[in-house]
Amino acid sequence: MEESVAIDAKRILLRYGAPIAILDKVPEAKRIEFARVIARTTLAEREKALKKLLAAEGFMEG
């Protein structure tokens, strides 16, 4: 069950613009956390919010 959650989280993050090279560096638990935040964000803001989240956590430049 937990593996499917991690896979779904990765799919969500990729769908909303997370670069795969950066996403591969993000621990699984963080991916799930990020996906949950993005799922609660309005559709129009998801890509922007994801990039801010990744930058705030130090995974990519803002």
Side-chain angles (χ1 to χ4, degrees), residues 1-48:
M1 174 76 172
E2 189 172 318
E3 187 174 318
S4 66
V5 171
I7 291 169
D8 287 344
K10 188 172 184 178
R11 284 184 186 143
I12 288 168
L13 298 176
L14 288 170
R15 179 178 299 140
Y16 292 107
I20 196 161
I22 290 173
L23 199 53
D24 286 342
K25 297 175 185 176
V26 178
E28 196 172 273
K30 277 288 185 188
R31 288 183 200 164
I32 293 168
E33 179 184 325
F34 293 167
R36 287 179 175 155
V37 170
I38 296 306
R40 285 182 246 137
T41 305
T42 62
L43 189 59
E45 295 293 317
R46 288 181 181 177
E47 185 174 345
K48 187 172 149 184

